């Protein structure tokens, strides 16, 4: 995010003309309030529905009488800096008030949750990360930026780059998985895609990096829960994707809900001011998460809302999402001497700079032609959504080579998830249309396959024996879609049991008992505990929630028109009780093994079900001849790769290292590089990867980066478990 000298001067000139109230207005992010038809606040009303005080039908009736208040008067009075919304007509209307009717004409920033696509919804992040393809991450983000801007949204609350190692946490779906290196690649590429093309105002938005920080480490995987960790872990595992994205130029950052070592991230001076703003020199602005400043009172870190507001502003929180605590209290706090006005000036300078960089002062509106063009999704968007979906599919098991399916075979498609448009889009997709969604049933029909659909059961539907009998009678093969509904994943959707929900295991048992081959397609937003399924099913495909082109992508992979090439960005446990489970854990003094007094579970052993980086193809690959050479500034790593099967395929060659002895215990393996390689049947290639010595260090508790001489193990392979290894002594 670079401003020209003239732009910087314009920001300063505006700042000098602003009253204290107008400055504080810029620090206020509003969303349309729902009003009328009820006596309590909208938030209270929602609470009443959630805890059962009023039934759903009553709520729907009340809502039919409600209207939305867009805070027009506040905008006119300069009391709103940013607004939530995804409607371009409304965005223009509100913008006109800000630009033409407020005293200084400062445009609004329209923000929205565009996490994995706007109307063109592509795969959820945990799935897309498994494509191991930074250029794809960039292209999908760029598509989302353009679509957002065309709808008046110039600020996307994405990317979510929380490293997440506990599959119980519902929000693992929104982020790039458990590994800091992959998450950093994802973060950089997403910033580049969202913000990189500033050649025209239509092409870019301000990204909002979230949730800063360590939200993914919430204790026991329960959303919003406390986090506590040594600083070294924070620096080595949770901060890297944020640092990478800030280096790439991320314009804004959203603080997370959790407290970190006792201090909520909303008013955490250490993470916001010291690390982000001082150490990393982040030039953009920080926004709180929804209602988070108020929640600091609930946390018990501030005695009342005005104090929470002052503490947050002092800590480096520039914008308040949704509470109006800044709006209603900061002026008084400055006048009373409880808050230095310099904090306000700093925040407003940052906010105005982002608006200036977005070009909003010169081009505040969405052109009418663009609004009309939004009616139709461009073909290029559909093609990209299809490509992303295909590349995110992970083949987990294909024991009897049932896949790819023979086109002449009749398919009985089973499972309620297979035929529901709303189940393909994944958690936190907001601006999609059901008519755009291709279900798996529709995708198979589009492909021309001989397919009949028998619901038979689902995550929230009981087993239907008659339909199972009919499915067995029709098909040569049964394709069973099982897993989680979208509402079982995402925010506020943590689970204490991540095995197959509802009666789906029973359904699978009955399908297997028919004697027909069963292909299980998983639709889910988190790693699941599938010990039983992996033992009994010969064919399993992880399809995640792949977005609007899901059905077409799944059909192409099932029928062999596209080869599966996705990998797991997150470890799959055998049982829920193993969580958090991740490949890059520190070594113990008693690493898990078959003997009893080692780090293991009596009932789940010490291994995962499917490791990080895992995924099969329709062909097989052999690795040989790992060679590691010290080239001064870097290690040159080469490994032979041969496609030993009968079809072409794409392999993701992964490079890991272990620092064998460190002044802080080091992870057993750390991903340090990867390369996707496509080989024809029988083809071999030597794959070369470079490991910069500067990247072989780690942070200590003081945040100092250390490069320690000694022995390193270098690994190369097709996943984090099955690798070739060579040791090398490295001096820095
Ligand atoms: C979520 C954020 C989201 C925000 C605004 C919060 O509940 O944690 O990820 O961006 O709402 O919708």
């Amino acid at each position: 995010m670079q401003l020209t000298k003239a732009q910087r001067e314009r920001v300063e000139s505006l700042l000098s003309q602003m009253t204290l109230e107008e400055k504080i207005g810029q620090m206020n992010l509003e969303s349309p309030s729902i009003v009328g038809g009820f006596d309590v606040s909208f938030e209270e009303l929602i609470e009443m529905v959630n805890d059962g005080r009023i039934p759903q039908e009553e709520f729907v009736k009340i809502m039919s009488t409600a209207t939305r208040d867009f805070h027009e008067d506040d905008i006119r009075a300069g009391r709103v800096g940013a607004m939530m919304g995804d409607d371009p007509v409304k965005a223009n209307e509100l913008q006109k008030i800000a630009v033409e009717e407020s005293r200084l004409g400062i445009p609004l920033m329209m923000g929205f949750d565009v996490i994995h696509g706007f109307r063109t919804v592509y795969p959820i992040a945990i799935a897309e990360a498994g494509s191991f393809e930074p250029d794809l991450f960039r292209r999908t983000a760029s598509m989302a930026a353009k679509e957002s801007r065309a709808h008046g949204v110039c600020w996307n609350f994405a990317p979510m780059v929380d490293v997440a190692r506990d599959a119980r946490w519902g929000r693992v779906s929104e982020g790039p998985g458990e590994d800091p290196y992959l998450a950093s690649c994802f973060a950089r590429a997403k910033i580049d895609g969202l913000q990189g093309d500033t050649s025209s105002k239509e092409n870019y938005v301000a990204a909002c990096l979230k949730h800063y920080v360590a939200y993914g480490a919430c204790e026991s995987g329960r959303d919003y829960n406390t986090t506590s960790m040594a600083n070294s872990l924070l620096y080595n595992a949770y901060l890297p994707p944020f640092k990478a994205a800030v280096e790439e130029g991320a314009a804004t950052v959203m603080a997370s809900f959790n407290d970190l070592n006792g201090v909520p991230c909303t008013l955490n001076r250490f993470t916001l001011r010291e690390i982000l703003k001082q150490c990393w020199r982040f030039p953009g602005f920080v926004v709180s998460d929804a209602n988070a400043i108020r929640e600091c009172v609930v946390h018990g870190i501030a005695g009342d809302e005005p104090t929470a507001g002052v503490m947050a502003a002092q800590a480096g929180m520039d914008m308040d999402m949704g509470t109006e605590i800044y709006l209603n209290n900061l002026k008084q706090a400055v006048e009373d001497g409880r808050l230095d006005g310099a904090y306000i000036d700093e925040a407003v300078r940052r906010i105005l700079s982002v608006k200036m960089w977005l070009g909003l002062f010169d081009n505040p509106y969405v052109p009418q032609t663009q609004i009309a063009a939004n009616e139709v999704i461009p073909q290029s968007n559909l093609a990209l959504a299809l490509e992303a979906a295909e590349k995110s599919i992970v083949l987990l098991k294909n024991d009897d080579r049932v896949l790819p399916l023979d086109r002449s075979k009749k398919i009985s498609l089973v499972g309620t998830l297979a035929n529901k448009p709303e189940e393909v889009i994944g958690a936190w997709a907001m601006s999609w249309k059901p008519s755009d969604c291709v279900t798996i049933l529709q995708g198979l029909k589009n492909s021309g396959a001989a397919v009949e659909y028998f619901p038979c059961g689902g995550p929230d539907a009981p087993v239907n024996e008659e339909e199972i009998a009919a499915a067995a009678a029709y098909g040569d093969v049964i394709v069973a879609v099982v897993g989680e509904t979208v509402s079982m994943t995402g925010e506020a959707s943590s689970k204490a049991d991540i095995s197959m929900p509802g009666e789906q295991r029973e359904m699978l048992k009955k399908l297997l008992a028919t004697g027909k081959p069963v292909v299980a397609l998983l639709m889910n937003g988190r790693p699941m505990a599938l010990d039983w399924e992996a033992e009994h099913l010969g064919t399993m495909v992880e399809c995640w929630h792949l977005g609007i082109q899901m059905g077409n992508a799944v059909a192409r992979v099932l029928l062999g028109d596209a080869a599966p090439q996705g990998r797991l960005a997150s470890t799959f446990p055998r049982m829920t009780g193993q969580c958090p489970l991740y490949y890059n854990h520190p070594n113990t003094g008693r690493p898990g093994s078959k003997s009893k007094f080692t780090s293991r579970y009596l009932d789940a052993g010490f291994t995962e079900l499917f490791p990080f980086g895992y995924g099969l193809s329709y062909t097989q690959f052999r690795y040989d001849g790992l060679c590691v050479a010290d080239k001064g500034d870097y290690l040159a790593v080469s490994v032979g790769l041969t496609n030993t099967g009968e079809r072409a395929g794409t392999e993701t060659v992964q490079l890991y290292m272990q620092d064998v002895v460190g002044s802080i215990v080091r992870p057993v393996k750390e991903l340090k590089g990867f390369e996707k390689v496509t080989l024809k049947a029988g083809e071999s290639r030597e794959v070369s990867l470079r490991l910069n010595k500067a990247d072989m260090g780690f942070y200590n508790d003081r945040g100092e980066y250390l490069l320690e001489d000694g022995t390193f193990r270098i690994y190369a392979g097709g996943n984090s478990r099955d690798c070739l290894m060579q040791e090398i002594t490295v001096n820095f």
Side-chain angles (χ1 to χ4, degrees), residues 603-616:
D603 51 356
F606 59 95
T607 57
E608 70 290 317
L609 183 61
F610 299 115
F612 172 84
Y614 175 84
L616 304 174

Side-chain angles (χ1 to χ4, degrees), residues 84 113 157 171 210-211 254 257 289-290 321 428 491:
M84 302 261 233
D113 285 284
F157 300 139
R171 303 197 83 168
K210 68 188 191 184
H211 306 83
M254 185 187 294
F257 286 123
D289 204 337
M321 189 196 293
W428 266 123
E491 186 174 352

Side-chain angles (χ1 to χ4, degrees), residues 448-497:
V451 59
E452 286 287 329
Y453 177 56
F454 309 90
C456 297
D460 46 14
V463 180
N464 183 318
E465 308 241 10
E466 277 167 29
E467 287 168 359
I468 289 179
Y474 171 79
D476 301 312
V477 57
I478 296 173
V479 173
V481 184
V482 289
E484 301 178 299
T485 62
V486 165
S487 64
M488 293 172 179
T489 76
E491 186 174 352
S493 301
S494 296
K495 295 189 76 188
D497 177 0

Side-chain angles (χ1 to χ4, degrees), residues 58-88:
E58 178 70 14
F59 175 68
V60 173
K61 214 161 98 200
I62 294 173
M63 288 313 291
S64 66
T65 65
T67 55
R68 296 214 283 173
D69 172 6
F70 287 91
H71 303 270
E72 284 94 340
D73 289 341
D74 285 330
I75 296 173
R76 203 168 281 118
R79 288 160 56 83
V80 182
M83 188 81 193
M84 302 261 233
D86 65 345
D87 173 355

